[in-house]
Coordinates of all heavy atoms in Angstrom, one line a residue:
M765 N -178.8 -87.8 97.8 CA -177.4 -87.8 97.4 C -176.4 -87.3 98.4 O -176.5 -86.1 98.9 CB -177.4 -87.0 96.2 CG -176.1 -87.2 95.2 SD -176.2 -89.1 94.6 CE -177.4 -88.8 93.1
K766 N -175.3 -88.0 98.7 CA -174.4 -87.5 99.6 C -173.1 -86.9 98.9 O -172.8 -87.4 97.9 CB -174.0 -88.6 100.6 CG -175.1 -89.1 101.5 CD -174.4 -90.1 102.5 CE -175.6 -90.6 103.4 NZ -176.3 -89.6 104.0
K767 N -172.7 -85.8 99.6 CA -171.5 -85.2 98.9 C -170.3 -85.1 99.9 O -170.6 -85.0 101.2 CB -171.9 -83.7 98.5 CG -172.5 -83.7 97.2 CD -172.6 -82.1 96.7 CE -173.4 -82.0 95.5 NZ -173.8 -80.7 95.2
C768 N -169.2 -85.4 99.4 CA -168.0 -85.3 100.3 C -167.7 -83.8 100.8 O -168.0 -82.9 100.0 CB -166.8 -85.7 99.4 SG -165.2 -85.2 100.2
I769 N -167.6 -83.6 102.0 CA -167.5 -82.3 102.6 C -166.2 -81.6 102.2 O -166.2 -80.4 102.3 CB -167.5 -82.5 104.2 CG1 -167.7 -81.2 104.9 CG2 -166.3 -83.2 104.8 CD1 -169.1 -80.6 104.7
S770 N -165.2 -82.3 101.8 CA -163.9 -81.8 101.5 C -163.9 -81.3 100.0 O -163.6 -80.3 99.6 CB -162.8 -82.8 101.7 OG -162.7 -82.9 103.0
C771 N -164.2 -82.4 99.0 CA -164.0 -82.1 97.6 C -165.4 -81.8 96.9 O -165.4 -81.4 95.8 CB -163.2 -83.3 96.8 SG -164.2 -84.8 97.0
K772 N -166.5 -82.0 97.7 CA -167.8 -81.7 97.2 C -168.2 -82.6 96.0 O -169.2 -82.4 95.4 CB -167.9 -80.2 96.6 CG -167.4 -79.2 97.6 CD -168.3 -79.1 98.8 CE -167.9 -77.8 99.5 NZ -166.7 -77.9 100.4
K773 N -167.6 -83.7 95.8 CA -168.0 -84.6 94.9 C -169.0 -85.5 95.4 O -169.0 -85.8 96.7 CB -166.8 -85.5 94.4 CG -165.9 -84.8 93.4 CD -164.8 -85.7 93.0 CE -163.8 -84.9 92.2 NZ -162.4 -85.6 92.1
E774 N -169.9 -86.0 94.6 CA -170.9 -87.0 95.1 C -170.2 -88.2 95.4 O -169.2 -88.8 94.7 CB -171.9 -87.3 94.0 CG -172.9 -86.1 93.9 CD -173.8 -86.2 92.8 OE1 -173.8 -87.3 92.1 OE2 -174.5 -85.3 92.4
V775 N -170.7 -88.9 96.6 CA -170.0 -90.2 96.9 C -171.1 -91.3 96.8 O -172.3 -91.0 96.9 CB -169.4 -90.1 98.4 CG1 -168.4 -89.1 98.5 CG2 -170.6 -89.7 99.4
T776 N -170.6 -92.4 96.5 CA -171.6 -93.5 96.4 C -171.3 -94.6 97.5 O -172.0 -94.3 98.6 CB -171.3 -94.3 95.0 OG1 -169.9 -94.5 94.9 CG2 -171.8 -93.4 93.9
D777 N -170.5 -95.5 97.4 CA -170.3 -96.4 98.5 C -169.0 -96.3 99.3 O -168.9 -96.8 100.4 CB -170.5 -97.8 98.0 CG -169.5 -98.2 96.8 OD1 -169.1 -97.2 96.2 OD2 -169.4 -99.4 96.6
D778 N -168.1 -95.6 98.7 CA -166.7 -95.6 99.3 C -166.6 -94.3 100.0 O -165.9 -93.3 99.6 CB -165.7 -95.8 98.2 CG -164.4 -96.3 98.8 OD1 -164.4 -96.7 100.1 OD2 -163.4 -96.3 98.1
Y779 N -167.2 -94.1 101.2 CA -167.1 -92.9 102.0 C -167.2 -93.3 103.4 O -167.6 -94.4 103.9 CB -168.2 -91.9 101.5 CG -169.6 -92.5 101.9 CD1 -170.1 -92.1 103.1 CD2 -170.4 -93.1 100.9 CE1 -171.5 -92.5 103.3 CE2 -171.7 -93.5 101.2 CZ -172.2 -93.2 102.5 OH -173.5 -93.5 102.7
V780 N -166.9 -92.3 104.2 CA -167.1 -92.3 105.6 C -168.0 -91.3 106.2 O -168.0 -90.2 105.6 CB -165.7 -92.3 106.5 CG1 -164.9 -93.5 106.2 CG2 -164.9 -91.1 106.0
K781 N -168.8 -91.7 107.1 CA -169.6 -90.7 107.7 C -169.2 -90.5 109.2 O -168.7 -91.4 109.9 CB -171.1 -91.4 107.9 CG -172.0 -91.1 106.7 CD -173.4 -91.3 107.1 CE -173.7 -92.8 107.6 NZ -175.1 -93.1 107.6
F782 N -169.2 -89.1 109.6 CA -168.8 -88.9 111.0 C -169.6 -87.6 111.4 O -170.2 -87.0 110.5 CB -167.3 -88.6 111.1 CG -166.8 -87.6 110.2 CD1 -166.5 -86.4 110.8 CD2 -166.5 -87.8 109.0 CE1 -166.0 -85.4 110.1 CE2 -165.9 -86.8 108.1 CZ -165.7 -85.5 108.8
N783 N -169.6 -87.4 112.6 CA -170.3 -86.3 113.1 C -169.4 -85.1 113.5 O -168.3 -85.4 114.0 CB -171.1 -86.6 114.4 CG -172.1 -87.6 114.0 OD1 -172.1 -88.8 114.3 ND2 -173.2 -87.1 113.5
C784 N -169.9 -83.9 113.1 CA -168.8 -82.7 113.4 C -168.7 -82.7 114.9 O -169.6 -82.9 115.8 CB -169.7 -81.4 113.0 SG -168.9 -79.9 113.5
P785 N -167.4 -82.6 115.2 CA -167.1 -82.5 116.8 C -167.7 -81.3 117.5 O -167.8 -81.4 118.8 CB -165.6 -82.4 116.7 CG -165.1 -82.7 115.5 CD -166.3 -82.4 114.4
N786 N -168.1 -80.4 116.8 CA -168.6 -79.2 117.5 C -170.1 -79.2 117.5 O -170.7 -79.0 118.5 CB -168.0 -77.9 116.7 CG -168.3 -76.7 117.4 OD1 -168.2 -76.6 118.6 ND2 -168.8 -75.6 116.6
C787 N -170.7 -79.2 116.4 CA -172.2 -79.2 116.4 C -172.9 -80.5 116.1 O -174.2 -80.5 116.0 CB -172.7 -78.2 115.2 SG -172.4 -78.8 113.5
K788 N -172.2 -81.5 116.0 CA -172.7 -82.9 115.7 C -173.5 -83.2 114.5 O -174.1 -84.2 114.3 CB -173.7 -83.3 116.9 CG -173.1 -83.1 118.4 CD -171.7 -83.8 118.5 CE -171.2 -83.6 119.9 NZ -169.8 -83.9 120.1
K789 N -173.3 -82.2 113.6 CA -174.0 -82.5 112.2 C -173.3 -83.6 111.5 O -172.0 -83.9 111.6 CB -173.8 -81.2 111.4 CG -174.4 -81.4 109.9 CD -174.2 -80.1 109.2 CE -174.4 -80.4 107.7 NZ -175.9 -80.7 107.4
E790 N -174.0 -84.4 110.8 CA -173.4 -85.6 110.1 C -172.6 -85.0 108.8 O -173.3 -84.3 108.1 CB -174.6 -86.5 109.7 CG -173.9 -87.8 109.1 CD -175.1 -88.8 108.6 OE1 -175.5 -88.7 107.6 OE2 -175.4 -89.7 109.5
L791 N -171.4 -85.5 108.7 CA -170.6 -85.1 107.6 C -170.1 -86.3 106.8 O -170.0 -87.4 107.4 CB -169.3 -84.3 108.1 CG -169.7 -83.0 109.0 CD1 -168.4 -82.5 109.5 CD2 -170.4 -82.0 108.2
V792 N -169.9 -86.1 105.6 CA -169.6 -87.3 104.7 C -168.2 -86.9 104.0 O -168.0 -85.8 103.6 CB -170.6 -87.5 103.7 CG1 -170.1 -88.5 102.7 CG2 -171.9 -88.1 104.4
R793 N -167.4 -87.9 104.1 CA -166.1 -87.5 103.3 C -165.8 -88.9 102.5 O -165.9 -89.9 103.0 CB -165.0 -87.4 104.4 CG -163.8 -86.5 103.8 CD -163.3 -85.6 104.9 NE -162.6 -86.4 106.0 CZ -161.4 -86.1 106.4 NH1 -160.7 -85.2 105.8 NH2 -160.9 -86.8 107.4
C794 N -165.3 -88.6 101.3 CA -165.0 -89.7 100.4 C -163.7 -90.4 100.8 O -162.9 -89.8 101.6 CB -164.9 -89.2 99.0 SG -163.4 -88.2 98.5
H795 N -163.5 -91.6 100.4 CA -162.3 -92.3 100.7 C -161.1 -91.6 100.3 O -160.1 -91.7 101.1 CB -162.5 -93.7 100.0 CG -161.3 -94.6 100.2 ND1 -161.0 -95.3 101.3 CD2 -160.3 -94.9 99.4 CE1 -159.9 -96.1 101.3 NE2 -159.5 -95.8 100.1
N796 N -161.0 -91.0 99.2 CA -159.8 -90.4 98.7 C -159.5 -89.2 99.7 O -158.2 -89.1 100.1 CB -160.0 -89.7 97.3 CG -158.8 -89.4 96.6 OD1 -157.8 -90.1 96.8 ND2 -158.8 -88.2 96.2
C797 N -160.4 -88.3 100.1 CA -160.1 -87.2 101.0 C -159.7 -87.7 102.3 O -158.8 -87.1 103.0 CB -161.3 -86.3 101.0 SG -161.6 -85.3 99.6
R798 N -160.3 -88.8 102.8 CA -159.9 -89.4 104.1 C -158.6 -89.9 104.0 O -157.6 -89.7 104.9 CB -160.9 -90.5 104.4 CG -160.6 -91.1 105.8 CD -161.7 -92.1 106.0 NE -161.1 -93.3 106.6 CZ -160.9 -93.6 107.8 NH1 -161.1 -92.7 108.8 NH2 -160.2 -94.7 108.2
K799 N -158.2 -90.6 102.9 CA -156.8 -91.1 102.8 C -155.8 -90.1 102.8 O -154.7 -90.2 103.4 CB -156.9 -92.0 101.5 CG -155.6 -92.9 101.5 CD -155.6 -93.8 100.0 CE -155.3 -92.9 98.9 NZ -155.4 -93.6 97.7
N800 N -156.0 -88.9 102.1 CA -155.1 -87.9 101.9 C -155.3 -86.8 103.0 O -154.6 -85.9 103.0 CB -155.3 -87.2 100.6 CG -155.0 -88.2 99.4 OD1 -153.8 -88.7 99.5 ND2 -155.9 -88.4 98.6
V801 N -156.1 -87.1 104.0 CA -156.3 -86.1 105.2 C -156.5 -84.8 104.8 O -155.8 -83.8 105.3 CB -155.2 -86.3 106.2 CG1 -155.5 -85.9 107.5 CG2 -154.6 -87.8 106.2
I802 N -157.4 -84.7 103.7 CA -157.9 -83.4 103.3 C -158.7 -82.7 104.4 O -159.4 -83.3 105.0 CB -158.7 -83.5 102.0 CG1 -158.0 -84.3 101.0 CG2 -159.0 -82.0 101.5 CD1 -156.8 -83.7 100.4
K803 N -158.5 -81.4 104.6 CA -159.2 -80.6 105.6 C -160.7 -80.6 105.2 O -161.0 -80.4 104.0 CB -158.6 -79.2 105.8 CG -157.3 -79.2 106.7 CD -156.9 -77.8 106.8 CE -155.6 -77.9 107.8 NZ -155.1 -76.5 107.9
Y804 N -161.5 -80.4 106.2 CA -163.0 -80.2 105.9 C -163.4 -79.0 106.8 O -162.7 -78.7 107.6 CB -163.8 -81.4 106.3 CG -163.7 -81.8 107.7 CD1 -164.7 -81.3 108.5 CD2 -162.8 -82.7 108.2 CE1 -164.7 -81.6 110.0 CE2 -162.7 -83.0 109.6 CZ -163.7 -82.4 110.4 OH -163.6 -82.7 111.8
K805 N -164.4 -78.5 106.3 CA -165.0 -77.4 107.1 C -166.5 -77.7 107.1 O -167.2 -77.9 106.3 CB -164.9 -76.0 106.3 CG -165.4 -74.9 107.0 CD -164.8 -73.6 106.6 CE -165.6 -72.6 106.1 NZ -165.0 -71.4 105.7
C806 N -167.1 -77.6 108.3 CA -168.4 -77.9 108.6 C -169.3 -76.7 108.1 O -169.1 -75.7 108.4 CB -168.7 -78.0 110.1 SG -170.4 -78.2 110.6
P807 N -170.3 -77.0 107.3 CA -171.1 -76.1 106.7 C -172.0 -75.4 107.8 O -172.6 -74.2 107.5 CB -171.9 -76.7 105.6 CG -171.9 -78.2 106.0 CD -170.6 -78.4 106.8
E808 N -172.1 -76.0 108.9 CA -173.1 -75.5 109.9 C -172.4 -74.5 110.7 O -172.9 -73.5 111.0 CB -173.7 -76.6 110.7 CG -174.6 -77.5 109.9 CD -176.0 -76.8 109.6 OE1 -176.5 -76.1 110.6 OE2 -176.5 -76.9 108.5
C809 N -171.3 -74.9 111.2 CA -170.6 -74.1 112.3 C -169.2 -73.6 111.9 O -168.6 -73.1 112.7 CB -170.5 -74.8 113.6 SG -169.4 -76.3 113.5
E810 N -168.8 -74.0 110.6 CA -167.5 -73.6 110.2 C -166.3 -74.2 110.9 O -165.2 -73.7 110.8 CB -167.3 -72.1 110.0 CG -168.6 -71.4 109.4 CD -168.2 -70.3 108.4 OE1 -167.4 -69.5 108.8 OE2 -168.7 -70.3 107.3
F811 N -166.5 -75.3 111.7 CA -165.5 -76.0 112.3 C -164.6 -76.6 111.2 O -165.2 -77.2 110.4 CB -166.1 -77.0 113.2 CG -165.0 -77.9 113.9 CD1 -164.4 -77.5 115.1 CD2 -164.5 -79.0 113.3 CE1 -163.4 -78.3 115.7 CE2 -163.6 -79.9 113.9 CZ -163.0 -79.5 115.1
T812 N -163.3 -76.5 111.3 CA -162.5 -77.0 110.5 C -161.6 -78.2 111.1 O -161.2 -78.1 112.3 CB -161.5 -76.1 109.7 OG1 -160.7 -75.3 110.8 CG2 -162.3 -75.2 108.8
G813 N -161.2 -79.2 110.4 CA -160.6 -80.3 110.9 C -159.8 -81.1 110.0 O -160.1 -81.0 108.8
P814 N -158.9 -81.9 110.4 CA -158.1 -82.7 109.4 C -158.9 -83.9 109.0 O -159.8 -84.3 109.7 CB -156.9 -83.1 110.3 CG -157.4 -83.1 111.7 CD -158.4 -82.1 111.7
Ligands
ZN2156 ZN1 -163.6 -85.9 98.8
ZN2157 ZN1 -170.3 -78.4 112.8

């Protein structure tokens, strides 16, 4: 089960995957958070980004 890194909701098919620019961990963000450019924080290294 994948969870959006920003809003912590479970995501199904409408999400984007990307890697943390700092530690390369795979992060998932839902379509809504991506659209609204919600900030995220990497759980591994605490890197924050738009
Ligand atoms: Zn979200
Ligand atoms: Zn990271």
